[in-house]
Amino acid sequence: MIELILALLCSASMAIALRLSGRPNSSRYGLLVGNYLTCVLMAWLSLSEKTVLPVSGAMWTAMAAGVFNGFIFLADLLLFQLNIRKNGAVLATTFSKLGLLIPVGASILFLGERPTALQMVGMLLVLAAILLIHFEKGEAKASFKTGLLLLLLFYGIGDGMAKVFEHIGERRYDGLFLFYTFITALFLSSSLFAAELKREKKKLQAAELLSGITVGVPNYLSSLLLLKAVTKLPAYVVYPCYSVGAVLVVCVVSILFLKDRMTKHQALGCGVILAALVLLNV
């Protein structure tokens, strides 16, 4: 359980770091390059054996899963960064965490995991809370049909990859899986960043790379801790707690320290989240 709590705290920290680092004229990719450079370095340092070239079937599995995950990770952060700028940290975090429907549903349907009746009620409360927080009149509803819907989909796939690798991979190659995840995302984001610098004649700003470090540390730790959590706990506990717990932390920090405002729906949704977390852990 400690891995799950730390994972959701790191996930919330990443959202807050992105919220604080957003600047109107900054490059989307400069921050991501700094983020993934940090993640690759941390993943490399965490490897017990500094061998990354596949020499066995299990290592090839870790590499293939990591490369695919890297594509998803980059799409996740680009969508997240865009939605934070357009809709704010609370809204973007809420929809990213609604992606829990994908790994939880897949685990129940295909992996034979069976939640208790109270845990089922908890999962329903999670969905109700997220929808309650989010469904407001005006722009938020329109955004649901575009960027936020894509955010939900890609985050669901990205979070679910931890469970997929837990099922198909070997635990001794968890670090290799994360290394290939982040080095793939680094290569892609660096290519996009180089093209942006050439196209718009921008200069590389050290502030963007430094901001990326503040995002990269919680990004790597949340991925590692989530992978550890799904090896010890069922998906129907891990993903709802990970998702709504991060939403709750972001809401509290945004309101208390970043002076964001919470609507009545959002306040009620946070109360429902607390009830859901209790039921999921009974």
Side-chain angles (χ1 to χ4, degrees):
M1 181 58 70
I2 186 63
E3 289 92 348
L4 178 55
I5 294 172
L6 292 174
L8 71 88
L9 289 175
C10 288
S11 179
S13 298
M14 184 174 66
I16 297 300
L18 283 170
R19 165 72 166 76
L20 294 173
S21 63
R23 293 179 299 171
N25 297 320
S26 63
S27 167
R28 289 182 298 167
Y29 306 121
L31 183 145
L32 295 182
V33 170
N35 161 53
Y36 289 126
L37 274 172
T38 303
C39 291
V40 167
L41 178 60
M42 294 181 70
W44 170 258
L45 292 175
S46 70
L47 292 175
S48 56
E49 297 180 5
K50 300 298 187 287
T51 301
V52 296
L53 295 178
V55 294
S56 66
M59 292 181 73
W60 279 106
T61 298
M63 185 185 76
V67 169
F68 176 78
N69 203 32
F71 279 89
I72 298 298
F73 262 45
L74 180 61
D76 283 349
L77 271 188
L78 288 175
L79 287 167
F80 195 43
Q81 197 175 28
L82 175 64
N83 278 285
I84 279 182
R85 290 182 177 182
K86 291 180 62 177
N87 301 301
V90 172
L91 211 56
T93 303
T94 299
F95 257 74
S96 70
K97 300 312 177 186
L98 190 58
L100 67 90
L101 286 168
I102 295 174
V104 169
S107 295
I108 293 173
L109 290 174
F110 303 115
L111 301 181
E113 294 186 348
R114 293 293 179 265
T116 65
L118 285 177
Q119 288 168 333
M120 283 294 293
V121 173
M123 283 189 287
L124 291 175
L125 285 178
V126 166
L127 299 181
I130 292 175
L131 295 176
L132 184 63
I133 287 173
H134 195 69
F135 278 133
E136 301 282 351
K137 295 180 180 180
E139 294 182 3
K141 188 174 181 180
S143 298
F144 175 75
K145 298 178 181 179
T146 54
L148 290 170
L149 183 59
L150 289 174
L151 188 67
L152 180 158
L153 177 64
F154 276 84
Y155 258 83
I157 296 173
D159 287 345
M161 280 301 298
K163 188 64 180 179
V164 170
F165 187 70
E166 186 271 333
H167 188 67
I168 67 173
E170 295 183 10
R171 298 285 62 73
R172 58 178 172 153
Y173 294 127
D174 285 354
L176 190 64
F177 166 69
L178 291 176
F179 175 80
Y180 274 108
T181 292
F182 291 119
I183 202 167
T184 300
L186 174 60
F187 173 78
L188 294 172
S189 59
S190 297
S191 300
L192 292 171
F193 187 39
E196 182 186 56
L197 292 176
K198 182 178 181 180
R199 181 179 64 254
E200 301 183 13
K201 300 186 184 304
K202 291 183 177 180
K203 294 182 179 180
L204 178 63
Q205 298 182 20
E208 293 174 357
L209 295 178
L210 292 175
S211 295
I213 295 174
T214 67
V215 176
V217 172
N219 189 11
Y220 172 77
L221 292 176
S222 65
S223 300
L224 177 64
L225 292 164
L226 180 63
L227 188 57
K228 290 181 179 296
V230 295
T231 64
K232 299 179 180 179
L233 297 169
Y236 58 78
V237 171
V238 171
Y239 289 108
C241 289
Y242 177 72
S243 298
V244 298
V247 170
L248 190 60
V249 172
V250 170
C251 284
V252 171
V253 173
S254 294
I255 291 165
L256 293 181
F257 301 104
L258 303 181
K259 306 305 179 183
D260 288 348
R261 301 183 66 180
M262 180 180 283
T263 67
K264 292 181 179 179
H265 279 196
Q266 291 171 340
L268 182 57
C270 287
V272 175
I273 283 174
L274 291 174
L277 288 173
V278 172
L279 292 175
L280 285 167
N281 289 281
V282 170

